[in-house]
Amino acid sequence: MIRKCLSNLNAYEHLDVLRKGVRQLSDWKEEVEEVVFPGKICVPYTWTVGSTLSKWYGLLRDEGQIWANRCPSCGKVYIPPKAKCLECYKDVNDWVRLPGTGTVETFTVVYYEEPSIQPKKPPFAYGIIKMDGADTGLVHLIDEIDPEKVKVGMRVEAVINEERSGNIFDIKYFRPVN
Amino acid sequence: MGRRVGIVGVGQTHHAAHRLDASGMELIAEAVTRAFDDAQITRDEIDAIVIGNMDHFENINYVDMWALEGLGAFMKPVFKVTTGGTTGTTIAACAFYSVASGLFDRVLAVGWEKNSESDTQAAVATCANPVLERDPFAGAIGPLATEYSMYMKAYGATEEDAALVAVRDRNNALNNPYAHNRMKVTVEDVMNSPMLSYPIKFLDMCPRSDGACAVIFASEEYAKKMCPRPAWVHASVVRHDYTHFGDLEWQWMPSLERASAEAYKKAGITNPLKEFDVAELYLPASTTGVKWMDSLWFCERGEAPKLIRKGVFNMDGELPVNPSGGVIATNPIGATGLIRVGEAAWQIMGRARDRQVPNVKKALVTGFGGCSWSDVIILGADLP
Ligand SMILES: [Zn+2]
């Protein structure tokens, strides 16, 4: 019914009806001063790493080694390691040491600046490194190369940090292998 | 009406204040693995998953993404539900709806929380309206204390009545290997414990726990094949009651009165105190274990203290409440309601071990959420 009524008006009349019939934002503004409270939620957190990743980080921090784990049922090798196989839901208990080399599967170069969340000052490259000896990839920075020269399929190796504290930057970044 | 639905498997973690050995995902995996073992199935036999926890509690969104591994949810439908304290029972309700609808035959319900990772009271405060009640609302204890003060004034209930509930639940927890707090306490211990918010004392109040729970719901056809004695869902009712804290009727618990009345009607219960064999109730403080017994229609308003003093709800009483030790022994919040469902299901399945009440045919479950929301679920040994 509404559509039929409106179709009887020409387009300009229709707009005019709306303008006259509906209170405009400017009408409200004369009556109400909008109040806006500034807010910020500041809640401290800690994050438990868990047994599987604690072992992985421990090997990385203490030995400077990169490990993965293998599903005893389907043989899939996971890095970062998994507690449960995604396919089989079996406990993934077999640990294998990786050589630390891999292939850039995909990447991006970051140019915009967001200092509160970025690991370093742009421009920088990061990508997914398909690790040799594993079936999955690791997300990390790609450095020691002009970011614009990073390519898919490029061979890279992990650079282990001299000072390690048990986090992902114990691997400093990946760099090209000649 | 929907299809008939039964619970065929339950699993839970060993709950503790700090499960430093396990991430949130690993807690979930522990509960899910145990539920699969309880039902003697693999992840292949699950059609869909419902998961939930408290908003803002771990500062990690998208649990449905990052917990996938622990859920066994790879390439399966997963959806997240979060309704505050009632989250655990609402997860159960949603799993029930999913199977009852006929869209899925076997649904895994998972609730979890890693309370140790945040300042729980600060995180809880984010539920309060930020331009009105967040600043004066100081966590979860105040409102519960306020409501019991009113109840004491109106009906002559005492702090000792609440202490009797604390003693009952805490001592019941001694029979539950999964419980977080397992300590023998007396009324004197409770009365002498530090005052948190008058009249609620330290031993009256629930802890913050790390833990998870998983419950498997199946359609009638599957449930009969999967489990020798499924716990059938006879009713599942949700009532929300809140605009502002100031709007609530603190002297009663209207949402619980209405939700339970509706659930009893659906399940054909006319005398709840007589007809239920066991109850697993979401009682976040011992004080609620007094006051809310009125709201569950076990007695007239104001009569609950008499029942408590008579020991009606003790393990050897007419209606044992919280054989597991309840919420004041164990409280991984997003899992807490689902633990009630799982424990009640085990009572019906005859799998509650040291805390088993003999020959349970009907069990009552409640969930409580912020603020003053109520979920009521009724389970039975017979087909509904
Ligand atoms: Zn596998």
Side-chain angles (χ1 to χ4, degrees):
Chain A
M1 286 307 278
I2 289 167
R3 180 169 297 169
K4 200 175 170 194
C5 292
L6 287 177
S7 68
N8 289 337
L9 304 167
N10 72 40
Y12 298 105
E13 280 172 335
H14 168 210
L15 285 175
D16 214 39
V17 167
L18 284 181
R19 280 201 200 98
K20 283 177 187 154
V22 179
R23 267 154 59 97
Q24 302 296 304
L25 188 60
S26 54
D27 299 337
W28 289 100
K29 282 204 162 193
E30 284 164 22
E31 295 166 25
V32 180
E33 182 203 352
E34 298 93 338
V35 178
V36 178
F37 285 11
K40 182 176 183 182
I41 299 169
C42 248
V43 182
Y45 292 91
T46 54
W47 290 295
T48 308
V49 169
S51 299
T52 305
L53 279 174
S54 289
K55 177 165 176 161
W56 191 64
Y57 277 126
L59 287 163
L60 180 57
R61 180 192 57 206
D62 302 338
E63 315 294 335
Q65 296 171 356
I66 300 173
W67 287 68
N69 66 1
R70 184 197 292 119
C71 173
S73 176
C74 71
K76 192 161 179 171
V77 177
Y78 289 103
I79 183 168
K82 293 263 185 277
K84 291 278 186 182
C85 179
L86 296 182
E87 303 275 357
C88 315
Y89 202 70
K90 290 279 186 307
D91 293 337
V92 187
N93 288 329
D94 302 339
W95 288 78
V96 287
R97 190 180 164 190
L98 302 184
T101 50
T103 306
V104 176
E105 218 165 35
T106 181
F107 73 97
T108 185
V109 182
V110 176
Y111 293 98
Y112 71 95
E113 290 202 31
E114 196 69 73
S116 65
I117 57 164
Q118 286 173 341
K120 59 182 291 189
K121 203 172 155 52
F124 62 89
Y126 78 93
I128 298 173
I129 317 299
K130 165 75 173 56
M131 300 292 288
D132 295 342
D135 293 307
T136 58
L138 194 63
V139 175
H140 220 299
L141 302 174
I142 303 164
D143 210 329
E144 291 191 31
I145 179 174
D146 176 356
E148 309 216 336
K149 296 204 168 127
V150 175
K151 284 190 170 53
V152 169
M154 199 170 79
R155 294 288 296 159
V156 290
E157 66 183 358
V159 177
I160 303 294
N161 222 326
E162 298 277 298
E163 284 175 23
R164 299 187 292 271
S165 53
N167 65 50
I168 196 67
F169 288 111
D170 287 356
I171 301 172
K172 210 168 172 184
Y173 46 72
F174 283 77
R175 70 178 171 204
V177 190
N178 295 326
Chain B
M1 255 309 290
R3 301 191 297 175
R4 289 162 170 161
V5 179
I7 292 170
V8 297
V10 177
Q12 58 183 304
T13 55
H14 283 78
H15 312 292
H18 299 272
R19 281 288 308 267
L20 290 177
D21 62 309
S23 64
M25 186 282 295
E26 287 168 340
L27 288 177
I28 289 165
E30 185 176 317
V32 170
T33 303
R34 288 174 179 176
F36 287 169
D37 290 349
D38 194 46
Q40 297 182 353
I41 62 167
T42 67
R43 84 168 199 105
D44 296 340
E45 291 159 78
I46 294 296
D47 303 317
I49 294 139
V50 187
I51 184 166
N53 66 296
M54 294 289 283
D55 285 328
H56 277 299
F57 266 48
E58 291 81 10
N59 201 11
I60 312 173
N61 296 319
Y62 304 147
V63 61
D64 31 352
M65 176 189 79
W66 60 258
L68 183 137
E69 173 188 348
L71 286 171
F74 182 61
M75 289 299 157
K76 287 184 191 283
V78 186
F79 49 102
K80 177 184 170 183
V81 176
T82 176
T83 64
T86 43
T87 293
T89 37
T90 310
I91 292 164
C94 290
F96 163 64
Y97 301 152
S98 305
V99 178
S101 72
L103 296 176
F104 299 102
D105 283 315
R106 297 155 300 185
V107 174
L108 173 67
V110 180
W112 72 283
E113 209 73 65
K114 204 128 176 34
N115 268 309
S116 65
E117 302 202 328
S118 74
D119 177 339
T120 305
Q121 294 303 325
V124 163
T126 64
C127 81
N129 183 326
V131 301
L132 203 57
E133 295 182 319
R134 185 170 298 178
D135 292 335
F137 173 77
I141 305 171
L144 294 170
T146 319
E147 68 149 28
Y148 196 61
S149 299
M150 282 184 86
Y151 189 79
M152 290 198 297
K153 184 98 196 319
Y155 297 115
T158 64
E159 292 176 58
E160 284 82 359
D161 293 331
L164 285 169
V165 173
V167 167
R168 177 197 74 205
D169 280 7
R170 290 187 183 283
N171 289 350
N172 283 354
L174 294 169
N175 297 323
N176 178 3
Y178 300 107
H180 166 182
N181 283 326
R182 303 174 71 211
M183 50 182 170
K184 195 160 178 54
V185 300
T186 62
V187 168
E188 209 177 13
D189 295 332
V190 179
M191 295 300 290
N192 290 334
S193 64
M195 187 67 78
L196 297 178
S197 184
Y198 174 83
I200 295 182
K201 295 161 216 71
F202 184 73
L203 288 175
D204 288 314
M205 196 62 199
C206 60
R208 320 176 325 155
S209 317
D210 286 356
C213 181
V215 178
I216 300 164
F217 291 75
S219 61
E220 180 179 0
E221 182 197 345
Y222 279 90
K224 281 178 171 167
K225 283 186 229 157
M226 292 167 82
C227 185
R229 190 178 158 93
W232 299 102
V233 182
H234 286 225
S236 168
V237 177
V238 174
R239 288 289 181 275
H240 276 196
D241 171 1
Y242 164 70
T243 306
H244 297 123
F245 292 107
D247 296 341
L248 295 170
E249 296 178 63
W250 290 107
Q251 68 274 41
W252 326 118
M253 181 64 156
S255 65
L256 189 59
E257 285 187 351
R258 294 195 197 178
S260 55
E262 174 76 14
Y264 296 166
K265 198 173 137 200
K266 278 188 175 157
I269 303 278
T270 52
N271 186 342
L273 193 57
K274 286 223 150 36
E275 291 175 61
F276 287 116
D277 303 304
V278 70
E280 275 288 340
L281 308 180
Y282 195 126
L283 305 174
S286 62
T287 51
T288 63
V290 184
K291 192 191 138 189
W292 297 354
M293 300 305 100
D294 294 3
S295 307
L296 287 166
W297 308 92
F298 294 142
C299 55
E300 295 295 319
R301 281 175 175 170
E303 299 281 305
K306 285 185 199 158
L307 299 184
I308 299 292
R309 288 169 208 163
K310 271 175 30 192
V312 165
F313 305 114
N314 293 351
M315 274 305 269
D316 56 359
E318 193 176 346
L319 171 57
V321 167
N322 294 342
S324 67
V327 184
I328 67 169
T330 306
N331 189 30
I333 304 183
T336 300
L338 195 60
I339 294 170
R340 309 277 72 70
V341 177
E343 286 283 341
W346 267 344
Q347 289 287 349
I348 284 175
M349 294 155 112
R351 295 179 186 171
R353 294 172 179 261
D354 291 347
R355 55 199 185 285
Q356 181 71 50
V357 174
N359 199 22
V360 172
K361 298 203 75 173
K362 279 216 171 78
L364 174 66
V365 172
T366 64
F368 161 76
C371 195
S372 290
W373 299 341
S374 295
D375 290 357
V376 173
I377 295 173
I378 297 172
L379 302 177
D382 297 325
L383 270 170

